[in-house]
Amino acid sequence: MGGRRSLATAVAPALWAVAGTALVVQSLLTWTSRGALSTTAPVDVLGLVRAGSLPSVSTAEVVALVALPLLGAALLAGAALPGRGVRRVRALLGLLAVAVTGLLLVRVADLDPTHLSGARPGSGALLAALGALVALAALGTDRRSPTLEENPR
């Protein structure tokens, strides 16, 4: 019975770590297999936008491209930390990462949900989508640890 409880409490931190890792690594991969960003990873976009090479990329998209790996790093760093406050912050960061990923999938990877025939997501977009899905799964499994009174062993 104690083994089952420890397994249940280990699932959420593992999922948060996987989600965080995916959201960090996606910044090193291309987000689309066609168009202006087909040969550029998000880590290079900021320099290209500052140089004026990518006028089609908005400031909000640049902020989102920079924020996503930072959110991933925060999720990864706090994956195993205990506490109600930490769980709430993780949940907020996870939901924010999901929203930012959705924005980027629609805008940068040009994934129109009503017209998927033209969508050609790159490996970065796919990894970010996977990270967002894992963050949602982690959000659903992240629950409080039993207190000493509830589990005296």
Side-chain angles (χ1 to χ4, degrees):
M1 195 144 126
R4 185 175 293 172
R5 173 72 72 182
S6 63
L7 178 64
T9 57
V11 170
L15 289 174
W16 285 121
V18 169
T21 302
L23 294 174
V24 170
V25 173
Q26 62 75 31
S27 66
L28 304 173
L29 306 171
T30 59
W31 263 67
T32 180
S33 59
R34 64 177 162 82
L37 298 177
S38 62
T39 59
T40 306
V43 294
D44 302 323
V45 170
L46 185 57
L48 291 172
V49 169
R50 292 180 84 195
S53 301
L54 291 174
S56 63
V57 178
S58 72
T59 305
E61 292 165 346
V62 171
V63 169
L65 285 169
V66 171
L68 196 56
L70 294 176
L71 289 167
L75 290 174
L76 182 59
L81 296 176
R84 181 175 49 179
V86 173
R87 279 194 318 276
R88 288 181 179 172
V89 169
R90 261 194 317 250
L92 178 64
L93 293 176
L95 288 173
L96 186 57
V98 169
V100 169
T101 300
L103 167 79
L104 289 173
L105 287 173
V106 170
R107 297 287 298 154
V108 176
D110 197 24
L111 297 181
D112 182 358
T114 61
H115 190 265
L116 287 177
S117 62
R120 289 189 177 87
S123 54
L126 295 173
L127 188 59
L130 176 67
L133 290 174
V134 173
L136 287 175
L139 189 62
T141 60
D142 203 358
R143 57 186 87 165
R144 68 182 179 83
S145 303
T147 63
L148 187 58
E149 293 81 31
E150 294 171 343
N151 189 9
R153 291 184 183 189

